[in-house]
Amino acid sequence: MPYRAPVNDFRFLMDHVVGFDQVAATDHFAETTPDMTQAILAEAAKMSEDIIAPLNRAGDLHPAHLENGIVRTSPGFADGYNAIAEGGWIGMSASQESGGLGLPMTLTTTVNEMLAGACLALQLSPLMTQGQIEALEHHASDMIKALYLPKLISGEWSGTMNLTEPQAGSDVGALRTKAEPNGDGTYAITGQKIYISWADNDFTQNVCHLVLARLPDGVPGTKGISLFMVPKLIPDADGNPGAQNDLRVVSLEHKMGLHGSPTAVMEYSGATGWLVGEEHGGMAAMFTMMNNARLGVATQGVGIAEAALQHALAYAQDRKQGKASCSGAIFEHADVRRMLTTMKADTYAARAITLMNAVAIDMARATGSAEWQARAAFLTPISKAFCTDVGCEVASVGIQVHGGMGFIEETGAAQYARDVRVATIYEGTNGIQAMDLVARKLMDGGEAAFRILEEIENGAEAAKATHPALAEAVWQAAESLRETTEWLVAQSDLSARFAGAVPYLRAFARVLGGHVHLASAIKGDAGRTRLATFYIKRMLPEHVGLLVHAREGATDLMAITADDLAA
Amino acid sequence: MPYRAPVNDFRFLMDHVVGFDQVAATDHFAETTPDMTQAILAEAAKMSEDIIAPLNRAGDLHPAHLENGIVRTSPGFADGYNAIAEGGWIGMSASQESGGLGLPMTLTTTVNEMLAGACLALQLSPLMTQGQIEALEHHASDMIKALYLPKLISGEWSGTMNLTEPQAGSDVGALRTKAEPNGDGTYAITGQKIYISWADNDFTQNVCHLVLARLPDGVPGTKGISLFMVPKLIPDADGNPGAQNDLRVVSLEHKMGLHGSPTAVMEYSGATGWLVGEEHGGMAAMFTMMNNARLGVATQGVGIAEAALQHALAYAQDRKQGKASCSGAIFEHADVRRMLTTMKADTYAARAITLMNAVAIDMARATGSAEWQARAAFLTPISKAFCTDVGCEVASVGIQVHGGMGFIEETGAAQYARDVRVATIYEGTNGIQAMDLVARKLMDGGEAAFRILEEIENGAEAAKATHPALAEAVWQAAESLRETTEWLVAQSDLSARFAGAVPYLRAFARVLGGHVHLASAIKGDAGRTRLATFYIKRMLPEHVGLLVHAREGATDLMAITADDLAA
């Protein structure tokens, strides 16, 4: 079953649901004409379908591996990477002064989703580079920008993020990697980092590591952390890759999925690094990088969901089975149709949320508006957590649609589920996303949240004439969500918010999903109304139970002891 | 992290929640004294913990494989199997006249869960044999019983089920395997069967295949299917394994998980078989075998859930991380506690449901009561589908608790998720279970369902004095479930029931979970009340959205076209 890029849905959502016209109307993005948008979608779709998707299975069967300390990538991955780089896709949203195309993040989001649907393991490499580009654009010195950005944007060099250490995962502040001044403006970086995605490869000329480390005068915790550029090969006077730096890939992990993407333990033994941003200001730079990457990881969830849906739909239309009374393809069975429609309705909602998020990022960049900025910041944890959960759930339902064949690796359904599983974990676990949402992202007293809720309610009001039942359901859901949001904002004890953070985030996404489906029903054909009807009548009611859970507070929960949970 | 058998929970549930005292009070099970129950739990726990659990990882790393047509099993599996067989655990519920111990299915259910939690891949072998024993006890001739049952019960020989063919999965009636009379009372079996669990091994003296096939005068569909015993080695005049039969393992599948369990394609080339049950009566025998196996598969879900919970809990207590304000183990974080408590609360509810189901089976056997029989039949699809869903969900949350380590295979968390994934598919997919529930199991006009609902309501009434809030929540949930059950029973169009079958089944299980947690709160210590409070306040409300979905009917759903779902 070949992957087909969902260009129609991208177009429809951009044109009718997520307000991409606002982005295109800004001076900043004046070059983004409808023709250009169309051409980008078509070209990225063609590359994803024809060049990248055929690599997916080989990545699973022939994992990246370490050969005498050098990472050898899966068959075809080098060609696939080169196609992505040569297409200009890696730095498409990077600024033009740095050598990028300065295109909206909304378009990058569509491209990232297509690449993820085609081959998640490979997509992760340019995604890491994109995060690095954005971090450097915002925080690096002119010298570093000039040296690194053009090479990263062209894809000649690739980028990684080095945050995690064995004792410092979600709690980055516990890191121990040291940075000591060499006296010449550079630093000696020493320490071990783990879970480094695409820490090395055999297809870029250099690998640029952004490494969080502590200066000698760095205080304990996150406030004493600085960020350093630590290239694998130290650029020579002409900016070309020169001497090998004092760093190495110690080992690669044996993972549940995403075998085509090497995940390394890295050892830095006094490696030469350059400060990026302020001393002790590493967290700010890291957040820039992570926020970008979080939306990117959200596209991984959506991409896999789309691929798993297509795979299952093709199987269900092809597979003949059933009693005489309902012979034909299993697509004719009500429960199979329920599974497939659930897959589609959630994939569609998740995609719309990533695009709403990207539009907010673009508008913030184009206008400098704090309101757009707050909206983007609010939507980011929702995108990351909900879309990756959807990726896992849809891939699992895809296995189920296949019946016994779903458990057999040759079918391909299982690979989607194994590959996407990590997306709920990396770039901040989904629990961390939810805590970010209810704490930091509600620090404005809920202003950003209430603005979105108002938009949902206005949308429902406007739909009442043509789609009264659907509109009423979405309006009611938004009201319930508003009440819970008010309750959360009123909790000064953060643990009361944290106890309900995950169900709250999911409820918010569920209601946003109702909003975008309702908008689709209004603007789209009968098929989009059927899909919206399914989502709003059958899936949206999930928010009721979630919001009850979200408002329960922490007292009962924190009274649970380990003994209560033991065998 | 070593596996610990949840003996305390078994004891508590049997003594206080699921009414095992009724079973022990029957004449039929008069030998099942409290001392014997205690001894069985303790012995099975010891074997599971000390002998079986250590095999689990080797089964994953060193899959069963085919060597010159012979299945070689994973390291240690032969010893593990022998321990299970020698302990008398395989035939513990088989009748004493056949050589079994005649013990209640409730006890077998606890043992099956412990074995599943210790090593799912190995547990599946005796589970298949148990299903075969029950099918033979009910349907085979005295000659076949005398020849096969003692060997199956002792574990010297093992049993398999051969139902599925490439074109006949959930739709067994489409099978093409032929059975032609040899004129001497035996039959020549010819055809290909797929997905045969434990089709061969290198630790039993013989493998006995129960094969569904069609006699020359068998009509198309399920009514023309007969069941045959087709041993790998044909017993000689003394009943010892003799000549090789005309059957072979063609290949083993490469699966997402459960690598230690060989899943085979079998080829029968005129193999000698003996009729089991009536000509064209194969489906009845198959249902006996499947119903037994369905509860057995439910224990797989619970066993893996328990193992995954223990694994995650140990990690969360050990793993130090966190800001200065809340330093210590990650168990102290509200969201981690939420995840672990969710795991425990659902594992506990699922376990209680399997035991309720087993008690009903035992009471039906002991009393011959149609009411107990109907209750067992009603609970079986709920056990199978809910408990295997819980197995998958809890294993996935277990990965999440581990953060990045959860995605690394060496941790072991991923193996639970990969292994248990098939349990929602085999022995009838969970969709098939739900359809069975809303169609066949409501054919009595809902009598069995309403009897259970009444029991839940009575339980809630009785709890109102001591646990008013919890009791009220359970009572309300039961009322909502009753209304939806009435609605379903009133739908003469089965497709309206099928469209909501899966959410209905889950809602029923959710409410049953509320019932057993409430009973635990009344009878147990403060820890059980805390757990019940978590479940009833935070997890039970899920039923609201599920019941809305369950009542939506088929019209909107079946109007969805494949085009609506396409990219």
Side-chain angles (χ1 to χ4, degrees), chain B residues 463-492:
Chain B
K464 272 185 179 161
T466 55
H467 298 74
L470 302 186
E472 177 64 19
V474 172
W475 195 88
Q476 287 290 351
E479 274 304 291
S480 302
L481 182 56
R482 179 185 290 279
E483 283 164 22
T484 300
T485 306
E486 284 164 355
W487 183 89
L488 281 171
V489 168
Q491 304 306 306
S492 52

PDB file of all heavy atoms in Angstrom, chain B residues 463-492:
ATOM      1  N   ALA B 463     -24.080   0.164  49.964  1.00  0.00           N
ATOM      2  CA  ALA B 463     -22.884   0.952  50.282  1.00  0.00           C
ATOM      3  C   ALA B 463     -23.213   2.387  50.663  1.00  0.00           C
ATOM      4  O   ALA B 463     -22.329   3.139  51.088  1.00  0.00           O
ATOM      5  CB  ALA B 463     -21.931   0.934  49.100  1.00  0.00           C
ATOM      6  N   LYS B 464     -24.492   2.773  50.490  1.00  0.00           N
ATOM      7  CA  LYS B 464     -24.836   4.185  50.666  1.00  0.00           C
ATOM      8  C   LYS B 464     -24.564   4.694  52.073  1.00  0.00           C
ATOM      9  O   LYS B 464     -24.218   5.860  52.264  1.00  0.00           O
ATOM     10  CB  LYS B 464     -26.294   4.437  50.275  1.00  0.00           C
ATOM     11  CG  LYS B 464     -26.411   4.747  48.791  1.00  0.00           C
ATOM     12  CD  LYS B 464     -27.815   5.135  48.353  1.00  0.00           C
ATOM     13  CE  LYS B 464     -27.801   5.447  46.857  1.00  0.00           C
ATOM     14  NZ  LYS B 464     -29.131   5.397  46.250  1.00  0.00           N
ATOM     15  N   ALA B 465     -24.721   3.818  53.039  1.00  0.00           N
ATOM     16  CA  ALA B 465     -24.528   4.255  54.419  1.00  0.00           C
ATOM     17  C   ALA B 465     -23.074   4.626  54.693  1.00  0.00           C
ATOM     18  O   ALA B 465     -22.793   5.653  55.297  1.00  0.00           O
ATOM     19  CB  ALA B 465     -24.983   3.146  55.374  1.00  0.00           C
ATOM     20  N   THR B 466     -22.158   3.777  54.216  1.00  0.00           N
ATOM     21  CA  THR B 466     -20.751   4.003  54.567  1.00  0.00           C
ATOM     22  C   THR B 466     -19.982   4.815  53.527  1.00  0.00           C
ATOM     23  O   THR B 466     -19.030   5.510  53.867  1.00  0.00           O
ATOM     24  CB  THR B 466     -20.020   2.664  54.763  1.00  0.00           C
ATOM     25  OG1 THR B 466     -20.198   1.882  53.569  1.00  0.00           O
ATOM     26  CG2 THR B 466     -20.577   1.901  55.955  1.00  0.00           C
ATOM     27  N   HIS B 467     -20.349   4.691  52.244  1.00  0.00           N
ATOM     28  CA  HIS B 467     -19.603   5.353  51.172  1.00  0.00           C
ATOM     29  C   HIS B 467     -20.580   6.068  50.232  1.00  0.00           C
ATOM     30  O   HIS B 467     -20.707   5.711  49.064  1.00  0.00           O
ATOM     31  CB  HIS B 467     -18.794   4.329  50.365  1.00  0.00           C
ATOM     32  CG  HIS B 467     -17.765   3.613  51.166  1.00  0.00           C
ATOM     33  ND1 HIS B 467     -18.073   2.637  52.090  1.00  0.00           N
ATOM     34  CD2 HIS B 467     -16.406   3.727  51.204  1.00  0.00           C
ATOM     35  CE1 HIS B 467     -16.964   2.167  52.651  1.00  0.00           C
ATOM     36  NE2 HIS B 467     -15.944   2.821  52.141  1.00  0.00           N
ATOM     37  N   PRO B 468     -21.282   7.080  50.776  1.00  0.00           N
ATOM     38  CA  PRO B 468     -22.406   7.662  50.014  1.00  0.00           C
ATOM     39  C   PRO B 468     -22.011   8.198  48.637  1.00  0.00           C
ATOM     40  O   PRO B 468     -22.703   7.922  47.661  1.00  0.00           O
ATOM     41  CB  PRO B 468     -22.922   8.772  50.937  1.00  0.00           C
ATOM     42  CG  PRO B 468     -21.838   9.007  51.938  1.00  0.00           C
ATOM     43  CD  PRO B 468     -21.103   7.723  52.088  1.00  0.00           C
ATOM     44  N   ALA B 469     -20.898   8.918  48.553  1.00  0.00           N
ATOM     45  CA  ALA B 469     -20.550   9.531  47.264  1.00  0.00           C
ATOM     46  C   ALA B 469     -20.185   8.469  46.230  1.00  0.00           C
ATOM     47  O   ALA B 469     -20.628   8.515  45.074  1.00  0.00           O
ATOM     48  CB  ALA B 469     -19.386  10.516  47.448  1.00  0.00           C
ATOM     49  N   LEU B 470     -19.398   7.507  46.666  1.00  0.00           N
ATOM     50  CA  LEU B 470     -19.004   6.454  45.736  1.00  0.00           C
ATOM     51  C   LEU B 470     -20.216   5.623  45.323  1.00  0.00           C
ATOM     52  O   LEU B 470     -20.389   5.271  44.145  1.00  0.00           O
ATOM     53  CB  LEU B 470     -17.936   5.549  46.368  1.00  0.00           C
ATOM     54  CG  LEU B 470     -16.635   6.227  46.838  1.00  0.00           C
ATOM     55  CD1 LEU B 470     -15.633   5.168  47.302  1.00  0.00           C
ATOM     56  CD2 LEU B 470     -16.030   7.076  45.717  1.00  0.00           C
ATOM     57  N   ALA B 471     -21.059   5.310  46.298  1.00  0.00           N
ATOM     58  CA  ALA B 471     -22.238   4.490  46.016  1.00  0.00           C
ATOM     59  C   ALA B 471     -23.158   5.199  45.025  1.00  0.00           C
ATOM     60  O   ALA B 471     -23.675   4.585  44.082  1.00  0.00           O
ATOM     61  CB  ALA B 471     -22.986   4.189  47.315  1.00  0.00           C
ATOM     62  N   GLU B 472     -23.352   6.470  45.218  1.00  0.00           N
ATOM     63  CA  GLU B 472     -24.228   7.244  44.340  1.00  0.00           C
ATOM     64  C   GLU B 472     -23.682   7.241  42.907  1.00  0.00           C
ATOM     65  O   GLU B 472     -24.437   7.079  41.942  1.00  0.00           O
ATOM     66  CB  GLU B 472     -24.346   8.679  44.854  1.00  0.00           C
ATOM     67  CG  GLU B 472     -25.163   9.623  44.001  1.00  0.00           C
ATOM     68  CD  GLU B 472     -26.637   9.236  43.914  1.00  0.00           C
ATOM     69  OE1 GLU B 472     -27.099   8.474  44.786  1.00  0.00           O
ATOM     70  OE2 GLU B 472     -27.304   9.649  42.944  1.00  0.00           O
ATOM     71  N   ALA B 473     -22.372   7.406  42.775  1.00  0.00           N
ATOM     72  CA  ALA B 473     -21.776   7.440  41.433  1.00  0.00           C
ATOM     73  C   ALA B 473     -21.962   6.105  40.730  1.00  0.00           C
ATOM     74  O   ALA B 473     -22.297   6.054  39.528  1.00  0.00           O
ATOM     75  CB  ALA B 473     -20.289   7.796  41.536  1.00  0.00           C
ATOM     76  N   VAL B 474     -21.767   5.023  41.464  1.00  0.00           N
ATOM     77  CA  VAL B 474     -21.927   3.699  40.846  1.00  0.00           C
ATOM     78  C   VAL B 474     -23.400   3.451  40.500  1.00  0.00           C
ATOM     79  O   VAL B 474     -23.723   2.921  39.436  1.00  0.00           O
ATOM     80  CB  VAL B 474     -21.375   2.593  41.777  1.00  0.00           C
ATOM     81  CG1 VAL B 474     -21.709   1.203  41.241  1.00  0.00           C
ATOM     82  CG2 VAL B 474     -19.860   2.749  41.947  1.00  0.00           C
ATOM     83  N   TRP B 475     -24.275   3.858  41.385  1.00  0.00           N
ATOM     84  CA  TRP B 475     -25.705   3.653  41.149  1.00  0.00           C
ATOM     85  C   TRP B 475     -26.148   4.410  39.891  1.00  0.00           C
ATOM     86  O   TRP B 475     -26.843   3.864  39.027  1.00  0.00           O
ATOM     87  CB  TRP B 475     -26.503   4.121  42.376  1.00  0.00           C
ATOM     88  CG  TRP B 475     -27.917   3.632  42.366  1.00  0.00           C
ATOM     89  CD1 TRP B 475     -28.385   2.452  42.859  1.00  0.00           C
ATOM     90  CD2 TRP B 475     -29.042   4.316  41.790  1.00  0.00           C
ATOM     91  NE1 TRP B 475     -29.731   2.349  42.636  1.00  0.00           N
ATOM     92  CE2 TRP B 475     -30.164   3.470  41.979  1.00  0.00           C
ATOM     93  CE3 TRP B 475     -29.219   5.536  41.141  1.00  0.00           C
ATOM     94  CZ2 TRP B 475     -31.448   3.823  41.541  1.00  0.00           C
ATOM     95  CZ3 TRP B 475     -30.482   5.888  40.696  1.00  0.00           C
ATOM     96  CH2 TRP B 475     -31.585   5.040  40.907  1.00  0.00           C
ATOM     97  N   GLN B 476     -25.734   5.649  39.791  1.00  0.00           N
ATOM     98  CA  GLN B 476     -26.090   6.454  38.611  1.00  0.00           C
ATOM     99  C   GLN B 476     -25.542   5.826  37.331  1.00  0.00           C
ATOM    100  O   GLN B 476     -26.211   5.794  36.294  1.00  0.00           O
ATOM    101  CB  GLN B 476     -25.522   7.872  38.744  1.00  0.00           C
ATOM    102  CG  GLN B 476     -26.234   8.754  39.743  1.00  0.00           C
ATOM    103  CD  GLN B 476     -27.637   9.151  39.298  1.00  0.00           C
ATOM    104  OE1 GLN B 476     -28.021   8.896  38.151  1.00  0.00           O
ATOM    105  NE2 GLN B 476     -28.409   9.716  40.198  1.00  0.00           N
ATOM    106  N   ALA B 477     -24.322   5.356  37.402  1.00  0.00           N
ATOM    107  CA  ALA B 477     -23.709   4.750  36.220  1.00  0.00           C
ATOM    108  C   ALA B 477     -24.479   3.507  35.805  1.00  0.00           C
ATOM    109  O   ALA B 477     -24.714   3.271  34.605  1.00  0.00           O
ATOM    110  CB  ALA B 477     -22.246   4.413  36.503  1.00  0.00           C
ATOM    111  N   ALA B 478     -24.888   2.711  36.793  1.00  0.00           N
ATOM    112  CA  ALA B 478     -25.661   1.507  36.479  1.00  0.00           C
ATOM    113  C   ALA B 478     -26.996   1.871  35.838  1.00  0.00           C
ATOM    114  O   ALA B 478     -27.465   1.200  34.911  1.00  0.00           O
ATOM    115  CB  ALA B 478     -25.879   0.677  37.745  1.00  0.00           C
ATOM    116  N   GLU B 479     -27.608   2.950  36.330  1.00  0.00           N
ATOM    117  CA  GLU B 479     -28.873   3.403  35.737  1.00  0.00           C
ATOM    118  C   GLU B 479     -28.691   3.785  34.266  1.00  0.00           C
ATOM    119  O   GLU B 479     -29.501   3.427  33.405  1.00  0.00           O
ATOM    120  CB  GLU B 479     -29.413   4.610  36.513  1.00  0.00           C
ATOM    121  CG  GLU B 479     -30.247   4.233  37.707  1.00  0.00           C
ATOM    122  CD  GLU B 479     -31.397   3.329  37.311  1.00  0.00           C
ATOM    123  OE1 GLU B 479     -32.328   3.780  36.638  1.00  0.00           O
ATOM    124  OE2 GLU B 479     -31.319   2.137  37.667  1.00  0.00           O
ATOM    125  N   SER B 480     -27.641   4.535  33.979  1.00  0.00           N
ATOM    126  CA  SER B 480     -27.381   4.931  32.596  1.00  0.00           C
ATOM    127  C   SER B 480     -27.124   3.702  31.733  1.00  0.00           C
ATOM    128  O   SER B 480     -27.597   3.620  30.593  1.00  0.00           O
ATOM    129  CB  SER B 480     -26.149   5.838  32.517  1.00  0.00           C
ATOM    130  OG  SER B 480     -26.326   6.975  33.313  1.00  0.00           O
ATOM    131  N   LEU B 481     -26.390   2.765  32.280  1.00  0.00           N
ATOM    132  CA  LEU B 481     -26.102   1.545  31.536  1.00  0.00           C
ATOM    133  C   LEU B 481     -27.381   0.755  31.292  1.00  0.00           C
ATOM    134  O   LEU B 481     -27.576   0.173  30.218  1.00  0.00           O
ATOM    135  CB  LEU B 481     -25.087   0.709  32.330  1.00  0.00           C
ATOM    136  CG  LEU B 481     -24.605  -0.591  31.716  1.00  0.00           C
ATOM    137  CD1 LEU B 481     -23.993  -0.377  30.333  1.00  0.00           C
ATOM    138  CD2 LEU B 481     -23.583  -1.255  32.641  1.00  0.00           C
ATOM    139  N   ARG B 482     -28.266   0.761  32.275  1.00  0.00           N
ATOM    140  CA  ARG B 482     -29.544   0.074  32.107  1.00  0.00           C
ATOM    141  C   ARG B 482     -30.344   0.696  30.953  1.00  0.00           C
ATOM    142  O   ARG B 482     -30.896  -0.009  30.107  1.00  0.00           O
ATOM    143  CB  ARG B 482     -30.344   0.158  33.411  1.00  0.00           C
ATOM    144  CG  ARG B 482     -31.715  -0.502  33.357  1.00  0.00           C
ATOM    145  CD  ARG B 482     -32.505  -0.267  34.649  1.00  0.00           C
ATOM    146  NE  ARG B 482     -31.954  -0.998  35.777  1.00  0.00           N
ATOM    147  CZ  ARG B 482     -32.192  -2.303  36.008  1.00  0.00           C
ATOM    148  NH1 ARG B 482     -32.958  -2.993  35.182  1.00  0.00           N
ATOM    149  NH2 ARG B 482     -31.664  -2.891  37.056  1.00  0.00           N
ATOM    150  N   GLU B 483     -30.378   2.023  30.921  1.00  0.00           N
ATOM    151  CA  GLU B 483     -31.146   2.694  29.859  1.00  0.00           C
ATOM    152  C   GLU B 483     -30.594   2.335  28.482  1.00  0.00           C
ATOM    153  O   GLU B 483     -31.344   2.070  27.542  1.00  0.00           O
ATOM    154  CB  GLU B 483     -31.089   4.217  30.050  1.00  0.00           C
ATOM    155  CG  GLU B 483     -32.006   4.704  31.157  1.00  0.00           C
ATOM    156  CD  GLU B 483     -31.660   6.127  31.606  1.00  0.00           C
ATOM    157  OE1 GLU B 483     -31.032   6.861  30.816  1.00  0.00           O
ATOM    158  OE2 GLU B 483     -32.017   6.481  32.751  1.00  0.00           O
ATOM    159  N   THR B 484     -29.278   2.335  28.376  1.00  0.00           N
ATOM    160  CA  THR B 484     -28.686   2.001  27.081  1.00  0.00           C
ATOM    161  C   THR B 484     -28.915   0.535  26.742  1.00  0.00           C
ATOM    162  O   THR B 484     -29.135   0.183  25.581  1.00  0.00           O
ATOM    163  CB  THR B 484     -27.185   2.342  27.083  1.00  0.00           C
ATOM    164  OG1 THR B 484     -27.037   3.737  27.327  1.00  0.00           O
ATOM    165  CG2 THR B 484     -26.551   2.005  25.747  1.00  0.00           C
ATOM    166  N   THR B 485     -28.874  -0.317  27.751  1.00  0.00           N
ATOM    167  CA  THR B 485     -29.140  -1.740  27.512  1.00  0.00           C
ATOM    168  C   THR B 485     -30.569  -1.920  26.993  1.00  0.00           C
ATOM    169  O   THR B 485     -30.811  -2.670  26.037  1.00  0.00           O
ATOM    170  CB  THR B 485     -28.928  -2.545  28.813  1.00  0.00           C
ATOM    171  OG1 THR B 485     -27.618  -2.278  29.315  1.00  0.00           O
ATOM    172  CG2 THR B 485     -29.079  -4.038  28.567  1.00  0.00           C
ATOM    173  N   GLU B 486     -31.511  -1.191  27.608  1.00  0.00           N
ATOM    174  CA  GLU B 486     -32.903  -1.259  27.143  1.00  0.00           C
ATOM    175  C   GLU B 486     -33.003  -0.779  25.695  1.00  0.00           C
ATOM    176  O   GLU B 486     -33.711  -1.369  24.879  1.00  0.00           O
ATOM    177  CB  GLU B 486     -33.809  -0.412  28.049  1.00  0.00           C
ATOM    178  CG  GLU B 486     -34.091  -1.115  29.375  1.00  0.00           C
ATOM    179  CD  GLU B 486     -34.652  -0.170  30.446  1.00  0.00           C
ATOM    180  OE1 GLU B 486     -34.742   1.056  30.190  1.00  0.00           O
ATOM    181  OE2 GLU B 486     -34.965  -0.672  31.549  1.00  0.00           O
ATOM    182  N   TRP B 487     -32.285   0.287  25.398  1.00  0.00           N
ATOM    183  CA  TRP B 487     -32.303   0.819  24.034  1.00  0.00           C
ATOM    184  C   TRP B 487     -31.760  -0.230  23.054  1.00  0.00           C
ATOM    185  O   TRP B 487     -32.343  -0.471  21.994  1.00  0.00           O
ATOM    186  CB  TRP B 487     -31.456   2.103  23.960  1.00  0.00           C
ATOM    187  CG  TRP B 487     -31.488   2.759  22.619  1.00  0.00           C
ATOM    188  CD1 TRP B 487     -32.381   3.702  22.179  1.00  0.00           C
ATOM    189  CD2 TRP B 487     -30.586   2.526  21.522  1.00  0.00           C
ATOM    190  NE1 TRP B 487     -32.094   4.065  20.891  1.00  0.00           N
ATOM    191  CE2 TRP B 487     -31.008   3.362  20.457  1.00  0.00           C
ATOM    192  CE3 TRP B 487     -29.485   1.700  21.332  1.00  0.00           C
ATOM    193  CZ2 TRP B 487     -30.339   3.385  19.216  1.00  0.00           C
ATOM    194  CZ3 TRP B 487     -28.826   1.715  20.112  1.00  0.00           C
ATOM    195  CH2 TRP B 487     -29.255   2.549  19.058  1.00  0.00           C
ATOM    196  N   LEU B 488     -30.669  -0.868  23.416  1.00  0.00           N
ATOM    197  CA  LEU B 488     -30.064  -1.870  22.528  1.00  0.00           C
ATOM    198  C   LEU B 488     -31.008  -3.050  22.316  1.00  0.00           C
ATOM    199  O   LEU B 488     -31.200  -3.508  21.179  1.00  0.00           O
ATOM    200  CB  LEU B 488     -28.753  -2.388  23.128  1.00  0.00           C
ATOM    201  CG  LEU B 488     -27.524  -1.499  22.967  1.00  0.00           C
ATOM    202  CD1 LEU B 488     -26.374  -2.043  23.804  1.00  0.00           C
ATOM    203  CD2 LEU B 488     -27.102  -1.400  21.503  1.00  0.00           C
ATOM    204  N   VAL B 489     -31.599  -3.528  23.401  1.00  0.00           N
ATOM    205  CA  VAL B 489     -32.500  -4.674  23.297  1.00  0.00           C
ATOM    206  C   VAL B 489     -33.669  -4.344  22.361  1.00  0.00           C
ATOM    207  O   VAL B 489     -34.163  -5.209  21.632  1.00  0.00           O
ATOM    208  CB  VAL B 489     -32.998  -5.076  24.706  1.00  0.00           C
ATOM    209  CG1 VAL B 489     -34.155  -6.052  24.608  1.00  0.00           C
ATOM    210  CG2 VAL B 489     -31.855  -5.676  25.519  1.00  0.00           C
ATOM    211  N   ALA B 490     -34.074  -3.092  22.372  1.00  0.00           N
ATOM    212  CA  ALA B 490     -35.216  -2.686  21.542  1.00  0.00           C
ATOM    213  C   ALA B 490     -34.861  -2.545  20.058  1.00  0.00           C
ATOM    214  O   ALA B 490     -35.752  -2.408  19.217  1.00  0.00           O
ATOM    215  CB  ALA B 490     -35.787  -1.359  22.065  1.00  0.00           C
ATOM    216  N   GLN B 491     -33.592  -2.569  19.724  1.00  0.00           N
ATOM    217  CA  GLN B 491     -33.189  -2.420  18.318  1.00  0.00           C
ATOM    218  C   GLN B 491     -33.297  -3.770  17.624  1.00  0.00           C
ATOM    219  O   GLN B 491     -32.477  -4.652  17.844  1.00  0.00           O
ATOM    220  CB  GLN B 491     -31.745  -1.904  18.196  1.00  0.00           C
ATOM    221  CG  GLN B 491     -31.472  -0.609  18.919  1.00  0.00           C
ATOM    222  CD  GLN B 491     -32.435   0.503  18.537  1.00  0.00           C
ATOM    223  OE1 GLN B 491     -32.595   0.803  17.360  1.00  0.00           O
ATOM    224  NE2 GLN B 491     -33.092   1.083  19.523  1.00  0.00           N
ATOM    225  N   SER B 492     -34.298  -3.913  16.766  1.00  0.00           N
ATOM    226  CA  SER B 492     -34.411  -5.178  16.038  1.00  0.00           C
ATOM    227  C   SER B 492     -33.404  -5.227  14.894  1.00  0.00           C
ATOM    228  O   SER B 492     -33.007  -6.302  14.455  1.00  0.00           O
ATOM    229  CB  SER B 492     -35.830  -5.353  15.513  1.00  0.00           C
ATOM    230  OG  SER B 492     -36.194  -4.187  14.786  1.00  0.00           O
TER     231      SER B 492
END
